[in-house]
């Protein structure tokens, strides 16, 4: 066995990425306070071929050194936009036909392994602040709350890990391997 070099990985260029078809999934960061977390989600959105990443509320936008550190160039490939009001964005995306799924632990959330993402042709995933979670304004607006089961002592996962786990499950079900 040998590890693959950059060339052997055969990745698309940022230009090719921009023009290739994406999975019909958008990711929304609802007031993420750590720029390292923002960069990390950029990198995951690049890997998972998402349509667009929305940065909302207090979430910092590129260019920022602390975002670049973990995005490792993904801010150049992933299409992104800053929208201050996350609830207004959710309403707009819902009107455009997206299923609004908050990734959050709520009294009505559905456990990730029970979700059939193929029911939702266009999916909007929203993750929340490291301390306060998802904005309360989103609770009456969303179509679905997705919860990742946990088996340990901690209340929650790091937001970038939660985003990656749900994104991968959605992509896998939508035909990405
Ligand atoms: N103390 C906060 C924790 C937020 S963790 C709270 O009580 O809400 C930051 C974000 O990560 C959450 O808003 C959610 O989007 C995501 N997250 C973390 N663990 C999760 C889990 N087990 N299931 C679903 N989302 C989770």
């Amino acid at each position: 066995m040998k590890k693959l070099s950059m060339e052997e990985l055969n990745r698309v260029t940022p230009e090719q990425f921009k023009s290739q078809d994406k999975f019909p999934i958008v990711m929304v960061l609802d007031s993420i306070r750590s720029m390292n977390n923002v960069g990390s989600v950029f990198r995951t959105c690049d890997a998972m071929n998402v349509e667009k990443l929305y940065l909302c509320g207090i979430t910092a936008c590129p260019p920022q050194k602390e975002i670049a550190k973990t995005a490792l160039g993904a801010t150049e490939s992933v299409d992104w936009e800053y929208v201050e009001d996350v609830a207004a964005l959710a309403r707009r995306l819902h009107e455009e036909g997206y299923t609004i799924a908050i990734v959050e632990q709520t009294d009505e959330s559905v456990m990730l392994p029970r979700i059939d993402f193929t029911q939702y042709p266009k999916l909007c995933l929203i993750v929340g602040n490291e301390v306060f979670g998802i904005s309360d304004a989103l609770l009456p607006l969303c179509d679905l709350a997705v919860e990742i089961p946990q088996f340990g002592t901690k209340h929650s996962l790091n937001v970038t890990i939660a985003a990656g786990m749900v994104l991968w499950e959605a992509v896998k079900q939508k035909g990405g391997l």
Side-chain angles (χ1 to χ4, degrees), residues 14-126:
E15 292 68 38
Q16 288 168 326
F17 181 88
K18 280 189 183 301
S19 62
Q20 76 187 6
D21 287 344
K22 306 291 188 303
F23 292 115
I25 301 173
V26 297
M27 176 65 80
V28 178
L29 301 185
D30 176 13
S31 285
I32 299 305
R33 94 183 154 176
S34 153
M35 291 197 217
N36 285 170
N37 282 343
V38 175
S40 174
V41 174
F42 261 100
R43 190 174 174 187
T44 302
C45 287
D46 171 278
M48 294 297 118
N49 196 31
V50 307
E51 229 170 62
K52 191 158 176 172
L53 175 60
Y54 289 95
L55 310 172
C56 299
I58 67 156
T59 309
C61 298
Q64 287 284 350
K65 217 170 149 193
E66 289 300 306
I67 294 178
K69 216 184 214 171
T70 49
L72 296 174
T75 50
E76 303 312 308
S77 54
V78 175
D79 187 19
W80 66 270
E81 183 184 342
Y82 176 75
V83 179
E84 187 177 4
D85 185 343
V86 71
L89 173 67
R91 275 191 290 267
R92 192 184 90 203
L93 290 171
H94 182 84
E95 273 166 28
E96 289 173 19
Y98 285 87
T99 298
I100 308 300
I102 55 168
V103 177
E104 191 57 280
Q105 307 167 84
T106 78
D107 60 348
E108 292 179 33
S109 41
V110 182
M111 287 297 174
L112 179 59
R114 303 213 172 280
I115 297 177
D116 175 7
F117 285 108
T118 61
Q119 296 178 79
Y120 313 123
K122 291 164 78 178
L123 181 65
C124 163
L125 294 173
I126 311 180

